[in-house]
C-alpha cells in the first residue's frame, strides 16, 4: 500500500514553487530510510478526499487552504503498473487492478497516460474475448466508458466485434444489472458520438428489444434504455421519410421512428415508468422530456409543408371538411351555382380565402399540419366539429368565431408551446404525462384546445377585431393548465374548464397585486413616477400632515411632566404636574409654553443635548432611537424621550410639519408606500367588462355627531 499512499500533507498557502519545494522536502526526508525514495518524476500529489484527482500545473490554482493532499505514484507510473496487472494471469490481481482502474479513469491526467499506453485497446480485447464475467466485466466496462468520455480517442475506432459483444449483453435475457447499465450507456455514447457507429448499433439493437428493459423494476435500467431509444431516434437520418427504402437498415429506421407512436411502447412507458410505484428521478424525467420532444418533432415535416393549391388530393381534404359540416351529398348541377355555394360554405367554415381555401395553408408553420388537425377533428369527433361550425355560422357576423382561421392559428400556437421542431434542452425535465396516455395525443390535444378556444370566444363576447386578444387568453389558459401536469386528456379538460375567462382575469389581477409583480422593472419605474408626482403636489400630502399635527396631544418625559400642542397649532404647552392626570390635561395646568415660531429645529438621536452625555450614551439603543429635542430661542432645548416608536414618529413628524419641513420618519415612509401602492393598484385595475357609472355615487348622510373632530376656532 505504500506505493499508493506515502504521505498526507495539510496544505497552506502555496507559492509559485510550492510543488517542487514540497517534493524536495518529502524526498529528502525519506532518502536513506526504509522507503528508499528517489526521483521526483516518479511521484505526484493527489487530493486525499473526494474524487482524489491528481494535481497538475493547470489545476493547482484551484486548491483551497486547508486541503489535504497525499503523495502518490505519478499518473504514468500508476498507468503502467495497472496495465501490467490487468494482463497478468492471477484473477484476484486482475480484479483488483480493474477495480482501481475504474476509479482512476475519471482523472483526465491518468486517462491520458493510460490511453497513450494503448490501454483502450487492451480493455476492448478483454471485452471481445468474452472470458470476463460478473464484477470483472463490470469494472472493465466502467473503466472503458470513463476513458472514452474524456474525448481523447475517437469512437470511430471501435471495432464491430466489440459492438456485437456489447449489444449481446443488452439482448441477453438474464444479465447482471451493473453490466447491463454500462452496456446501455456505452451504446448510447456510440450512437451520439459517431455517425458510422450509429448504423452499426442500429443493426444490432432494435427498439423492440429495448422495450423489455422498460418493464423491469430498476429505474436506472429503464432510464438507460429510454436514453438509448432517444439516441437512436435523434441520430436517425433526416431523409428517412422521403426515400424509397430498399436497404434493411433504412427500413429499420422507419420502423423505429414509427414505433415511438405505437401503442405497445407508449403503454409500457406509461404503466411501468410514469405510473410505476417509484417517484420519477431527475434523469428519468429528462429522458421522458427528450422522448416527448423527439416524438412531437415527427410533426415538423407536415408543419413545414405548404399546401399545393393545384394538388387535387390535398384539395379533396378541404372538400371533405365541407361535406362533413354541411352534409353536402347532393351538389348543385350548375358550375356557377356550385361555386357560389362553395364560397358561402367556406366563409361559414371560417377560412380567410373564401374562393380558394387552399391558400390559407400555404404559410409555414403550421402548413399542412393545421389541415391534418382539422380533418382529424371532423372524422373522429364529428359531432363536436359540426356543432362548432354550425354554432358559429348562426351567430351575428361580428361575433362569429372563424373556425378555419382559429384552427390554423391554434396549430401554430401549440407548435410553439410544445417546441415542435426544436432540439431538446439539456437539463430540462418538463415532460407531460398525458401525452403518453393516448396513441394520437397531439390530435386529441388539438381537439380539446379548439373547443376551449370556441368557449373562450363566447365568454369574451369577441368580434373579429378581438382575434389576437382571444388567442392570447387561450395561450395563457393552455400554458397554465399544462403547468399543472395533468395526468390524462380528461384531467386536462377539467383543468381548462376551471380556467375560464373570468378565472384568467382574476389570476391576472391577483398576480399584478402580488409583491413580486411590484418588483418588476416597469412597475418600479411607474412607482417612482407616481412618487415624483406626489412629492411635487403638496396638497396630496396635506391630509397626512394635518392628521399628524392633530395627534400632538399629551406626552410626558419624567414621572408627571407633560407637553401638548395648542388647538390653533401655534404654541407648545408644557409643565410639571403634582400627580398623574386622568384623561386630557387642561392647558391651564401647563404653566410653560414655547411659540412654534421660535422653534429653530428638531434634533434626534445622538444629536440631542441630553443624549450627548456619557451616562446617556451608555443607555441601550432603544432609548437613543426614541430621543428628540426641540431647539428654540435663545439656544434653549426642550428634551424628550418617547415611550414607543409610534409616539416618536408622531411627534417628530408633527413638529417637522409645523415648521414646514419634510416628514422623514419610518411611519411617514410606510404611509407613503401604502399610498403609492394603492395608487398603483388602482391604475393597474383591469376594468374589462366593468361598467363605470357616468354620475358619481351619492354623498353619504352626515354623522349624528362630530365629537371625533377638533374645533380649530
Amino acid at each position: 500500500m505504500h506505493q499508493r499512499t506515502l504521505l498526507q500533507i495539510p496544505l497552506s498557502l502555496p507559492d509559485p514553487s510550492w510543488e517542487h519545494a514540497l517534493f524536495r522536502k518529502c524526498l529528502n526526508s525519506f532518502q536513506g530510510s526504509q522507503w528508499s525514495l528517489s526521483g521526483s518524476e516518479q511521484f505526484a500529489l493527489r487530493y486525499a478526499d473526494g474524487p482524489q484527482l491528481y494535481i497538475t500545473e493547470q489545476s493547482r490554482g484551484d486548491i483551497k487552504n486547508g486541503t489535504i493532499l497525499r503523495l502518490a505514484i505519478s499518473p504514468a507510473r500508476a498507468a503502467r503498473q495497472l496495465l501490467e496487472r490487468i494482463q497478468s494471469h492471477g484473477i484476484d490481481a486482475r480484479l483488483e487492478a480493474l477495480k482501481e482502474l475504474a476509479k482512476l479513469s475519471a482523472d483526465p491526467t491518468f486517462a491520458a497516460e493510460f490511453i497513450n499506453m494503448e490501454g483502450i485497446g487492451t480493455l476492448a480485447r478483454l471485452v471481445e474475448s468474452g472470458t470476463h464475467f460478473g464484477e470483472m466485466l463490470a469494472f472493465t466496462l466502467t473503466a472503458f466508458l470513463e476513458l472514452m468520455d474524456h474525448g481523447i480517442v475517437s469512437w470511430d475506432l471501435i471495432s464491430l466485434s466489440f459492438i456485437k459483444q456489447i449489444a449481446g449483453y443488452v439482448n441477453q435475457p438474464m444479465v447482471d444489472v451493473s453490466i447491463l447499465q454500462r452496456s446501455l450507456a456505452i451504446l448510447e455514447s456510440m450512437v451520439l458520438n459517431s455517425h458510422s457507429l450509429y448504423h452499426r448499433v442500429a443493426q444490432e439493437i432494435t427498439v423492440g428489444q429495448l422495450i423489455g428493459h422498460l418493464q423491469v423494476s430498476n429505474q436506472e435500467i429503464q432510464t438507460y434504455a429510454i436514453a438509448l431509444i432517444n439516441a437512436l431516434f435523434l441520430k436517425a437520418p433526416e431523409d428517412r421519410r422521403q426515400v424509397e427504402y430498399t436497404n434493411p437498415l433504412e427500413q429499420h429506421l422507419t420502423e423505429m421512428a414509427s414505433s415511438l407512436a405505437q401503442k405497445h411502447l407508449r403503454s409500457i412507458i406509461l404503466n411501468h415508468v410514469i405510473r410505476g410505484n417509484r417517484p420519477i428521478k431527475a434523469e428519468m424525467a429528462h429522458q421522458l422530456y427528450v422522448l416527448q420532444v423527439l416524438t412531437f418533432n415527427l410533426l415538423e415535416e407536415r408543419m413545414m409543408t405548404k399546401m399545393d393549391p393545384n394538388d387535387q388530393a390535398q384539395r379533396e381534404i378541404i372538400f371533405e371538411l365541407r361535406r362533413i359540416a354541411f352534409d353536402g351529398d347532393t351538389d348543385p348541377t350548375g358550375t356557377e351555382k356550385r361555386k357560389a355555394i362553395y364560397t358561402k360554405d367556406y366563409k361559414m367554415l371560417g377560412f380567410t380565402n373564401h374562393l380558394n381555401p387552399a391558400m390559407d395553408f400555404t404559410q409555414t408553420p403550421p402548413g399542412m399540419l393545421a389541415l391534418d388537425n382539422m380533418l382529424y377533428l371532423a372524422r373522429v369527433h364529428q359531432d363536436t366539429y359540426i356543432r362548432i361550425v354550425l354554432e358559429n355560422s348562426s351567430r351575428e357576423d361580428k361575433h362569429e368565431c372563424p373556425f378555419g382561421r382559429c384552427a390554423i392559428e391554434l396549430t401554430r400556437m401549440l407548435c410553439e408551446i410544445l417546441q415542435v421542431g426544436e432540439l431538446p434542452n439539456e437539463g430540462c425535465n418538463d415532460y407531460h404525462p398525458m401525452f403518453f396516455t393516448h396513441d394520437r395525443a397531439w390530435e386529441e390535444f388539438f381537439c380539446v384546445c379548439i373547443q376551449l378556444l370556441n368557449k373562450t370566444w363566447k365568454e369574451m363576447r369577441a368580434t373579429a377585431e378581438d382575434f389576437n386578444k382571444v388567442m392570447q387568453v387561450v395561450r395563457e389558459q393552455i400554458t397554465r393548465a399544462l403547468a399543472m401536469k395533468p395526468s390524462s386528456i380528461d384531467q386536462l379538460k377539467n383543468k381548462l374548464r376551471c380556467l375560464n375567462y373570468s378565472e384568467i382575469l382574476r389570476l391576472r389581477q391577483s398576480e399584478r397585486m402580488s409583491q413580486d409583480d411590484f418588483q418588476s422593472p416597469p412597475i418600479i419605474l411607474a412607482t417612482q413616477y407616481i412618487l415624483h408626482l406626489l412629492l411635487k403636489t403638496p396638497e396630496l400630502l396635506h391630509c397626512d400632515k394635518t392628521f399628524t399635527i392633530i395627534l400632538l396631544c399629551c406626552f410626558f418625559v419624567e414621572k408627571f411632566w407633560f407637553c401638548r400642542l395648542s388647538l390653533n397649532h401655534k404654541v407648545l404647552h408644557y409643565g410639571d404636574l403634582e400627580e398623574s392626570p386622568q384623561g386630557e390635561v387642561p392647558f391651564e395646568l401647563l404653566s410653560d409654553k414655547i411659540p412654534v415660531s421660535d422653534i429653530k429645529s428638531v434634533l434626534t438621536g445622538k444629536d440631542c443635548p441630553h443624549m450627548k452625555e456619557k451616562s446617556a450614551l451608555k443607555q441601550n439603543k432603544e432609548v437613543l432611537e426614541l430621543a428628540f429635542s426641540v431647539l428654540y430661542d435663545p439656544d434653549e432645548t426642550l428634551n424628550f424621550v418617547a415611550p414607543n416608536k409610534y409616539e416618536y414618529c408622531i411627534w417628530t413628524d408633527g413638529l417637522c410639519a409645523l415648521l414646514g419641513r419634510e416628514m422623514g420618519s419610518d411611519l411617514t415612509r410606510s404611509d407613503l408606500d401604502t399610498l403609492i401602492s394603492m395608487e398603483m393598484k388602482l391604475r393597474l385595475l383591469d376594468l374589462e367588462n366593468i361598467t363605470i357609472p357616468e354620475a358619481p355615487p351619492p354623498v353619504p348622510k352626515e354623522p349624528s355627531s362630530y365629537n371625533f373632530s377638533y374645533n380649530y376656532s
Side-chain angles (χ1 to χ4, degrees):
M1 294 298 292
H2 65 273
Q3 290 182 323
R4 292 198 297 272
T5 305
L6 300 177
L7 179 66
Q8 288 194 347
I9 308 154
L11 188 66
S12 185
L13 288 171
D15 57 32
S17 59
W18 65 275
E19 191 174 31
H20 182 262
L22 192 55
F23 277 131
R24 288 179 60 84
K25 181 178 180 180
C26 295
L27 294 176
N28 290 337
S29 299
F30 292 118
Q31 288 289 349
S33 67
Q34 59 175 338
W35 299 91
S36 301
L37 297 180
S38 62
S40 61
E41 69 279 357
Q42 298 294 322
F43 301 93
L45 289 176
R46 290 173 60 187
Y47 288 101
D49 302 318
Q52 301 182 4
L53 301 178
Y54 280 99
I55 307 298
T56 64
E57 287 293 328
Q58 293 75 24
S59 64
R60 72 179 189 178
D62 300 331
I63 302 175
K64 298 179 181 179
N65 288 341
T67 302
I68 297 179
L69 307 179
R70 68 177 184 176
L71 187 64
I73 59 176
S74 65
R77 186 176 175 185
R80 190 180 310 108
Q81 290 182 358
L82 286 176
L83 196 58
E84 292 173 356
R85 292 162 58 195
I86 287 172
Q87 301 177 80
S88 65
H89 296 290
I91 296 179
D92 293 339
R94 187 184 302 178
L95 178 61
E96 285 298 318
L98 288 170
K99 184 176 181 179
E100 182 71 14
L101 177 62
K103 183 168 63 175
L104 284 175
S105 295
D107 189 302
T109 307
F110 171 84
E113 296 290 348
F114 188 80
I115 291 172
N116 288 337
M117 299 176 186
E118 302 297 330
I120 289 286
T122 301
L123 295 179
R125 287 190 292 273
L126 290 176
V127 174
E128 292 170 9
S129 67
T131 57
H132 287 62
F133 304 97
E135 266 192 315
M136 190 173 295
L137 178 59
F139 288 134
T140 303
L141 297 178
T142 301
F144 178 86
L145 184 59
E146 291 283 359
L147 292 169
M148 293 299 296
D149 281 346
H150 290 291
I152 301 174
V153 178
S154 172
W155 284 90
D156 291 323
L157 301 177
I158 303 302
S159 66
L160 181 59
S161 59
F162 180 85
I163 297 173
K164 288 181 175 293
Q165 191 66 38
I166 297 296
Y169 298 139
V170 174
N171 294 330
Q172 285 181 14
M174 297 295 293
V175 67
D176 185 77
V177 171
S178 58
I179 295 174
L180 179 58
Q181 286 180 355
R182 288 154 181 78
S183 298
L184 289 169
I186 290 173
L187 291 175
E188 180 195 2
S189 296
M190 288 180 182
V191 172
L192 293 176
N193 292 285
S194 173
H195 180 70
S196 60
L197 289 187
Y198 158 76
H199 291 279
R200 295 180 180 179
V201 172
Q203 288 177 327
E204 302 294 331
I205 298 291
T206 65
V207 174
Q209 292 169 323
L210 294 174
I211 285 179
H213 297 304
L214 299 176
Q215 298 173 281
V216 300
S217 58
N218 189 319
Q219 190 172 121
E220 291 188 7
I221 295 296
Q222 293 175 326
T223 303
Y224 282 113
I226 295 180
L228 181 53
I229 292 175
N230 290 337
L232 289 168
F233 188 31
L234 184 64
K235 293 299 180 178
E238 295 181 359
D239 59 349
R240 61 186 180 274
R241 301 181 184 89
Q242 284 79 25
V243 298
E244 190 71 28
Y245 296 107
T246 56
N247 186 296
L249 172 60
E250 293 177 337
Q251 182 64 33
H252 161 79
L253 299 178
T254 305
E255 293 172 356
M256 184 200 67
S258 62
S259 67
L260 291 175
Q262 289 179 356
K263 182 176 181 179
H264 188 46
L265 175 61
R266 177 193 60 76
S267 62
I268 287 179
I269 292 177
L270 178 65
N271 296 323
H272 293 272
V273 178
I274 297 176
R275 293 179 178 174
N277 297 325
R278 302 167 305 281
I280 301 295
K281 296 181 181 178
E283 182 58 30
M284 172 60 83
H286 174 67
Q287 294 302 332
L288 290 174
Y289 155 76
V290 173
L291 181 59
Q292 172 185 290
V293 172
L294 296 178
T295 303
F296 284 141
N297 282 355
L298 292 173
L299 305 169
E300 183 181 11
E301 180 186 356
R302 295 292 286 174
M303 181 183 73
M304 301 306 296
T305 300
K306 296 181 179 180
M307 185 173 186
D308 183 2
N310 299 319
D311 189 320
Q312 186 58 35
Q314 294 180 0
R315 291 172 62 88
E316 189 62 35
I317 298 176
I318 298 178
F319 296 154
E320 184 175 353
L321 291 176
R322 175 193 166 275
R323 285 195 299 270
I324 295 174
F326 304 111
D327 196 21
D329 295 331
T330 57
D331 288 339
T333 55
T335 303
E336 292 298 326
K337 188 175 181 180
R338 183 188 303 115
K339 185 176 180 180
I341 293 177
Y342 279 16
T343 300
K344 179 182 177 182
D345 290 347
Y346 291 147
K347 181 180 180 181
M348 295 172 65
L349 280 171
F351 289 112
T352 303
N353 193 316
H354 308 151
L355 297 176
N356 187 4
M359 299 301 297
D360 288 11
F361 301 96
T362 56
Q363 185 178 358
T364 58
M368 290 295 292
L369 183 60
L371 186 59
D372 295 341
N373 288 339
M374 295 168 67
L375 184 61
Y376 180 87
L377 174 67
R379 287 178 175 176
V380 180
H381 301 279
Q382 191 172 114
D383 293 341
T384 300
Y385 168 71
I386 295 174
R387 176 179 56 80
I388 292 175
V389 173
L390 296 183
E391 184 179 278
N392 285 286
S393 62
S394 62
R395 294 179 188 168
E396 299 179 24
D397 287 345
K398 66 175 184 178
H399 287 294
E400 65 180 4
C401 176
F403 170 74
R405 182 185 177 190
C406 289
I408 293 171
E409 187 60 32
L410 178 63
T411 302
R412 181 187 293 107
M413 180 196 298
L414 297 183
C415 290
E416 292 174 357
I417 293 174
L418 297 177
Q419 301 177 335
V420 176
E422 298 182 16
L423 291 176
N425 296 323
E426 288 293 333
C428 182
N429 303 333
D430 190 23
Y431 80 97
H432 299 282
M434 72 172 185
F435 290 127
F436 294 89
T437 62
H438 201 285
D439 297 333
R440 305 294 295 271
W442 165 264
E443 291 84 353
E444 289 295 321
F445 184 46
F446 169 83
C447 293
V448 172
C449 292
I450 193 67
Q451 295 179 71
L452 169 71
L453 195 158
N454 186 62
K455 174 174 171 286
T456 302
W457 186 285
K458 291 187 291 184
E459 292 174 347
M460 295 178 65
R461 303 185 187 93
T463 62
E465 290 76 15
D466 301 321
F467 183 85
N468 291 333
K469 184 177 180 180
V470 174
M471 297 306 299
Q472 291 174 1
V473 174
V474 171
R475 175 187 283 270
E476 185 172 349
Q477 290 172 314
I478 294 171
T479 53
R480 286 182 183 274
L482 289 178
M484 300 178 194
K485 292 291 186 291
S487 58
S488 65
I489 298 294
D490 289 336
Q491 196 173 105
L492 173 69
K493 293 178 182 179
N494 294 333
K495 294 187 181 301
L496 289 174
R497 194 175 296 115
C498 297
L499 287 169
N500 53 35
Y501 181 52
S502 299
E503 179 65 12
I504 292 297
L505 292 180
R506 188 192 67 79
L507 291 172
R508 286 178 176 179
Q509 185 69 23
S510 175
E511 290 170 1
R512 284 198 195 102
M513 296 301 104
S514 68
Q515 186 64 30
D516 292 340
D517 197 33
F518 274 79
Q519 298 304 317
S520 62
I523 299 297
I524 292 175
L525 186 62
T527 302
Q528 292 173 349
Y529 175 72
I530 292 175
L531 177 60
H532 174 75
L533 291 180
L534 290 174
L535 296 178
K536 292 295 183 181
T537 314
E539 57 269 18
L540 294 177
L541 300 177
H542 176 70
C543 293
D544 190 32
K545 287 185 177 181
T546 303
F547 178 73
T548 304
I549 293 173
I550 290 173
L551 292 177
L552 297 185
C553 55
C554 296
F555 192 99
F556 69 92
V557 178
E558 295 298 338
K559 192 170 185 181
F560 303 130
W561 191 89
F562 275 76
C563 178
R564 65 175 297 184
L565 180 67
S566 65
L567 295 179
N568 61 6
H569 302 167
K570 293 182 179 181
V571 179
L572 280 178
H573 296 266
Y574 67 95
D576 297 321
L577 298 179
E578 295 180 358
E579 58 182 12
S580 179
Q582 300 296 325
E584 187 176 295
V585 179
F587 290 108
E588 293 78 10
L589 297 180
L590 303 175
S591 57
D592 299 313
K593 61 183 179 180
I594 302 173
V596 173
S597 59
D598 291 344
I599 298 177
K600 292 182 177 181
S601 63
V602 179
L603 307 176
T604 59
K606 294 181 180 180
D607 294 331
C608 300
H610 60 307
M611 289 291 109
K612 290 184 177 180
E613 301 175 2
K614 290 184 179 180
S615 59
L617 290 175
K618 290 181 180 179
Q619 300 182 66
N620 57 40
K621 185 179 179 181
E622 293 181 1
V623 174
L624 291 175
E625 291 179 350
L626 299 177
F628 66 95
S629 299
V630 175
L631 180 64
Y632 61 96
D633 287 336
D635 296 331
E636 297 288 338
T637 59
L638 189 62
N639 303 318
F640 299 84
V641 176
N644 52 59
K645 189 69 173 178
Y646 176 78
E647 296 286 353
Y648 170 84
C649 293
I650 290 297
W651 271 81
T652 54
D653 282 342
L655 291 170
C656 289
L658 287 171
L659 299 177
R661 298 173 184 174
E662 182 180 350
M663 300 185 298
S665 72
D666 294 341
L667 183 61
T668 296
R669 284 194 292 268
S670 176
D671 291 342
L672 192 58
D673 288 343
T674 302
L675 184 63
I676 294 173
S677 177
M678 291 299 297
E679 178 68 18
M680 180 61 68
K681 291 178 180 180
L682 287 173
R683 296 191 181 201
L684 291 177
L685 279 177
D686 194 340
L687 301 179
E688 182 75 25
N689 296 329
I690 296 177
T691 303
I692 301 177
E694 297 180 0
V699 178
K701 294 180 180 180
E702 293 187 7
S704 57
S705 67
Y706 288 89
N707 295 335
F708 56 86
S709 176
Y710 281 93
N711 182 6
Y712 299 111
S713 58

